[in-house]
Amino acid sequence: MSSAPALSLKLLNSMNQTGFTTALGFAFELSPWVVERSWSERPFASVEAMHDAMMEVLQAATTADKLALIRAHPELAGKAAIAKQLTAESTSEQASAGLDLLTPEEFARFHELNAAYGQRFGFPFIIAVRLNDKASILAAMQARLAHDEAAEIAEAIQQIGLISKLRLLDAVKA
């Protein structure tokens, strides 16, 4: 979904830490630290291996860092989307699931579930929207309200892993 030309794995493996982080920082919503901390694991044999290293960084991060990453994500069909203040990646991803074309009733339901979810957990609901549609997203929002905080943090990190992997696969050619 990135509008930049595809980057080669060979080029990424040869970059210094700043260049690597600048090139791929978009993969984890407004949180380039994940990419930055994975740089030392180069050279990567594949995009998947690179993503695995990034996910190891994320899994090893403190709960505070994980929560900061989760909170960097926008609400689905939320205020930032309406105000057109999403990152290019989030705008494209939300549109892929039809979240830019909600009926007033659907918008009201998203707003209601976003509010309930945010009140319960203190962070936005996260799902890999490119792998879902409006109905499955709404069903997941409803179901995940029953999770405890630890389970929901783990689920959010798993979903961020899916989102970031799709972003990297779009942007990097082997």
Side-chain angles (χ1 to χ4, degrees), residues 67-127:
L67 285 170
L69 170 60
I70 294 167
R71 289 183 179 123
H73 285 74
E75 282 188 344
L76 297 179
K79 292 183 213 94
I82 295 164
K84 305 213 180 303
Q85 296 173 335
L86 300 177
T87 63
E89 292 81 18
S90 286
T91 298
S92 179
E93 289 160 356
Q94 289 199 27
S96 76
L99 301 187
D100 58 335
L101 302 171
L102 297 175
T103 66
E105 296 78 17
E106 289 169 332
F107 179 79
R109 184 68 177 139
F110 268 95
H111 183 73
E112 174 187 316
L113 287 169
N114 275 331
Y117 187 93
Q119 184 170 9
R120 173 145 168 67
F121 296 110
F123 51 81
F125 174 83
I126 299 175
I127 193 166

Side-chain angles (χ1 to χ4, degrees), residues 38-170:
S38 71
W39 174 82
S40 62
E41 297 303 312
R42 298 168 9 282
F44 300 108
S46 65
V47 176
E48 290 79 9
M50 181 173 60
H51 183 257
D52 288 347
M54 292 175 185
M55 290 307 295
E56 287 175 21
V57 164
L58 187 50
Q59 292 302 337
T62 64
T63 300
D65 280 349
K66 289 176 184 175
L67 285 170
L69 170 60
I70 294 167
R71 289 183 179 123
H73 285 74
E75 282 188 344
L76 297 179
K79 292 183 213 94
I82 295 164
K84 305 213 180 303
Q85 296 173 335
L86 300 177
T87 63
E89 292 81 18
S90 286
T91 298
S92 179
E93 289 160 356
Q94 289 199 27
S96 76
L99 301 187
D100 58 335
L101 302 171
L102 297 175
T103 66
E105 296 78 17
E106 289 169 332
F107 179 79
R109 184 68 177 139
F110 268 95
H111 183 73
E112 174 187 316
L113 287 169
N114 275 331
Y117 187 93
Q119 184 170 9
R120 173 145 168 67
F121 296 110
F123 51 81
F125 174 83
I126 299 175
I127 193 166
V129 295
R130 287 170 58 187
L131 303 177
N132 289 277
D133 60 21
K134 291 184 284 191
S136 65
I137 294 168
L138 285 168
M141 289 177 91
Q142 183 67 50
R144 286 170 50 189
L145 278 168
H147 285 176
D148 64 28
E149 183 181 42
E152 198 50 28
I153 289 171
E155 181 64 29
I157 294 299
Q158 181 179 345
Q159 293 296 318
I160 289 168
L162 293 171
I163 294 164
S164 59
K165 187 170 189 176
L166 290 169
R167 289 178 178 184
L168 290 170
L169 288 170
D170 286 345

